[in-house]
Every structure is written in C-alpha cells, then in structure tokens.
Amino acid sequence: MKIRLSLAILAALCAGTGAAEEPAAGPPVAIRAARMLDVKSGRYVDRPVVLVRGDRIEAVMTSVPPGSRVVDLGARTLLPGLTDAHTHILLQGDATQAEYNEQILQEYPAHRAARAIRAMKIALEHGFTSMRDLETEGAGYADVALRDAVNEGVVPGPRMHVVGPGLSTTGSYPILHFRPDWKFPTGVMVCDGADGCRKAVREQLSYGTDWVKVYANTGGLRLTGDGYIDSPPNWTKEEIEAVVSEAHAHGVKVAAHATSDTGTRLAVAAGVDSIEHGDSIRPEVAQEMARRGIFLSPTLTVSEYVAEPRAKEGRGIWSEMPKILEKSFNNCRKAGVKIAFGTDAGGFPWTEINQAREFEWEVRFGMSPIEAIRSATVVPAELLGQTGRIGTIEKGAFADIIAVPGDPLQDVTVLTKVDWVMKNGEVVRALPASP
C-alpha cells in the first residue's frame, strides 16, 4: 500500500490540474463522422452516429437523437481505441546496455515514475486507450500504482494491465557481473526451483498484478545452421511449469519473453498464454502455438530500432534478428496464430517514435491493413479477456473511440495521425480549434 500511495501522490503532483474527472451526468454525446470502420467485418459504415452515455457506447445510429450533445468530426474515420499489448512505461529507450544500466542504477524511482506518467499521456494521445505493460525493469510494483492512479483519475493514461517485475532465474538477466561484493537493483524478480517459482508468483499477485511475465531465455544467443536463433534455457521444465500452473490456478495469464528456439519451445510446452517478440519460431512450433491458442506479440518496431546499436556494441547476432523475426512472423501467420499488436515501446524512446509505426511493419511483413488493425483491437481484447468491452464500437463497449484523417484500409500510416481521442466517454484529445 505504501508504494501505491507514494506514487499516486507523485502522479497527482506531476499531473497538476490536468487529471481526468468522472464523466459528468448530462445528455448523451452523439459522435458523427464521414465513416466508421467496423473492425469485425472489415467494412465501413457511412455517416455513422455513435451515441455515448457515461463511459459506454449506447448505440450506433444513422441520425442524431433529440437532446444529444453533438461532436462533429467531419470527414474523419472513426475506429475503436487501440491496444498495445507489449509496452514498458518505466523505460525510455534501452538500445544499448549502457542506456539500460543508467536507468536501472542511476535514475531515482520518482524520476522514472514521472517519465512513465509522460509516457502514458503520449500513448493515450496517440490513440492507445489500453495497454499491457510487460514489466517494470527494476521499478518494483510502480506499474501497479500507476495503473491505479489512472483508474482513479489522478493522471491521464490508457487502461493498464500490468505485471510488476518479470521473473527469471539466478544469473540470467541484468544487472549482472559488477563486483561480487556489491549488491545492485536488478531488472527482474529472481526465483529458482519449482517451489521458489510458485512462491514468487503468489508474492507478485499479492501486490495486485494482472499478469505474470517470464523470461524464457535471455543471453547466449547464437545462429543455427538453418537460419534461426537458439540459446540455453533460463528454466528447467519443472520451474516454468510451476510458474504457469500457479498463475493459472489464480486465474492469471502468463506472458513469455522468448527470442530463441529453445526458449519458445519451453514456454509453449509449459502452456503460457502469449509469446513476446518471437524472434525465432519454426513452422512446427507456430503450428503448436496455434493448436494451443497461444498468442504472439511480435514487437517489430523495437527490433529494427535496437538491431544496429546492439550489433555495434558487440552483439553481432542482432544484425540478423529483423530478417529472422520476419520469417518467424510469417510462420505464425501461416499457422493461424493470433497476433496481438505489441511495440515494446520503452525499448525505444516514447518521445521519438509513435507506437502506431508498428502497423507499417505488420503490413510490410505481409498483413493486410484490416488484419493489422484487428491485431490492435479485437485480437488483444481477446488476449486480455476484454472481448466486447474494448477494441470495438458497439453497444455496451467502453466508449474508447479515435478518429483519423484518411482511409486506414488504403494507407495504415494514417494511424500515426490520430487527432481525436475519447476514452471512457471523455475526450482526452480534442481537434485543434479553428482559427
């Protein structure tokens, strides 16, 4: 409770008078525009009127009902609010080991939290009304506190699903290999042995986390003879199965960072719910993921961003990563794996790259525009257990709606130009006032 309270207070100070308020009682809001994309059918609805009451969508209509307050968005296209299923609000770019070490070892926790508040605001204004934030990288349960601050209306931000610290085993994840008589913060929560892993999951859930994340593999990456990537595993079979079974016993899902063949196979066999990054997925592994209903969140944007600097600092395998990831991505598409839009924002600076660039990479790698849009709407809604509540504009869903100029089915780059955002029935980014 102490960390929640302290960070909520910090959030209030950083937010100033800009904190969101509860929706005021009053007439319903009628939002009209040139068209609305029905993401399920992939077709446009011409001249829609979306009726919003409180934080929910009441109806999609063809005319404005009497007594409504009208928001006219002109020639724009309406879409559901977007979901990024893999982010790190408490990171601000870690293309190199030095960047990572500086944030974990030198930044004050309050500084990291303040920058996370900025990151959430950036994401929300870019149209991402929901996010799954996949671990705090040494910041404990700060993500839990920030999620709660958003829910309380203390600060603006997406609807957050959080994991606290990721889980890994002794010696497998930074910060490592400083003087052995010195103790430093680490980027993960360490657990060993099946009993230790179950205890770690129970401890994390006691702090109010929504998901569990494991690092199925980390170091020791090497190229294989057939053009994939392999590494030693971080876990024994019994350890990772203990993590997954304990989480599932509590009704909580598990995400697995997996960038090698061995790591992915281990995580899939243990029954995780999503594979993160998935840099090396052979066709038969993709088929098993599809059979088990395991999602992929491929983080294409960050792979391109970090590849060159990591290769230059001596990790040469990173120069091969983007093309192997493309092959793995298409193995999953062909097998029918459900692909959830995820950017790894925080791995690249929030202030430099719009998360919506991921749509361009998805289409470049072979998705159609509507597939890409579904990957950020209905697919992550299913992954997060929020089907019918987010990722769609229909009766009963949260009133999370965005507008873009142009036609995203013809040009997905317009999704980087979101200029109107509603979350929970409140306008959080309005159109610029006419001169």
Side-chain angles (χ1 to χ4, degrees), residues 37 44 79 82 341 356-364 367-374 404-418:
L37 180 60
Y44 283 121
L79 297 96
L82 306 173
F341 183 104
R357 285 285 306 279
E358 187 81 8
F359 290 110
E360 298 175 48
W361 285 106
E362 288 182 330
V363 171
R364 190 178 303 181
M367 275 186 167
S368 67
I370 188 59
E371 284 181 293
I373 292 167
R374 286 173 180 148
V404 297
D407 182 350
L409 294 185
Q410 296 300 316
D411 178 11
V412 292
T413 67
V414 303
L415 293 168
T416 64
K417 301 170 185 175
V418 170

Side-chain angles (χ1 to χ4, degrees), residues 112-255:
R112 293 190 68 188
R115 297 216 286 174
I117 290 167
R118 179 182 66 179
M120 291 191 299
K121 186 173 186 291
I122 289 170
L124 183 60
E125 291 183 349
H126 285 167
F128 291 88
T129 52
S130 295
M131 294 197 309
R132 183 180 58 153
D133 200 66
L134 282 182
E135 95 119 314
T136 62
E137 303 285 354
Y141 296 94
D143 56 348
V144 174
L146 291 167
R147 175 203 65 195
D148 293 349
V150 170
N151 291 344
E152 292 164 9
V154 177
V155 293
R159 185 175 294 103
M160 302 293 291
H161 301 255
V162 301
V163 308
L167 295 179
S168 200
T169 50
T170 297
S172 64
Y173 194 81
I175 301 289
L176 297 172
H177 306 133
F178 289 89
R179 277 179 47 169
D181 57 329
W182 289 355
K183 299 298 181 184
F184 291 96
T186 60
V188 294
M189 182 178 185
V190 172
C191 60
D192 297 295
D195 288 344
C197 291
R198 290 187 184 278
K199 180 177 182 294
V201 171
R202 292 169 186 169
E203 180 177 328
Q204 291 198 339
L205 297 182
S206 76
Y207 285 97
T209 52
D210 303 305
W211 277 67
V212 172
K213 179 182 179 179
V214 296
Y215 285 87
N217 69 276
T218 45
L221 300 178
R222 62 176 178 82
L223 286 174
T224 65
D226 61 345
Y228 286 92
I229 298 166
D230 210 356
S231 74
N234 284 359
W235 308 87
T236 64
K237 177 177 179 290
E238 292 75 19
E239 286 173 327
I240 194 168
E241 286 180 350
V243 170
V244 174
S245 65
E246 189 66 30
H248 285 177
H250 291 274
V252 173
K253 293 181 178 181
V254 180

Side-chain angles (χ1 to χ4, degrees), residues 22-33:
E22 292 294 323
V29 177
I31 304 162
R32 62 185 181 190

Side-chain angles (χ1 to χ4, degrees), residues 95 279 298-311 318-326 343-344 347-348 353 357-358 361 364-365:
D279 294 287
T299 67
L300 309 177
T301 304
V302 80
S303 179
E304 184 68 22
Y305 178 82
V306 304
E308 184 176 349
R310 290 184 181 179
W318 277 93
S319 62
E320 302 296 320
M321 283 281 208
K323 65 183 181 184
I324 299 172
L325 175 56
E326 181 176 1
T343 64
D344 210 4
F348 56 81
I353 298 175
R357 285 285 306 279
E358 187 81 8
W361 285 106
R364 190 178 303 181
F365 280 12

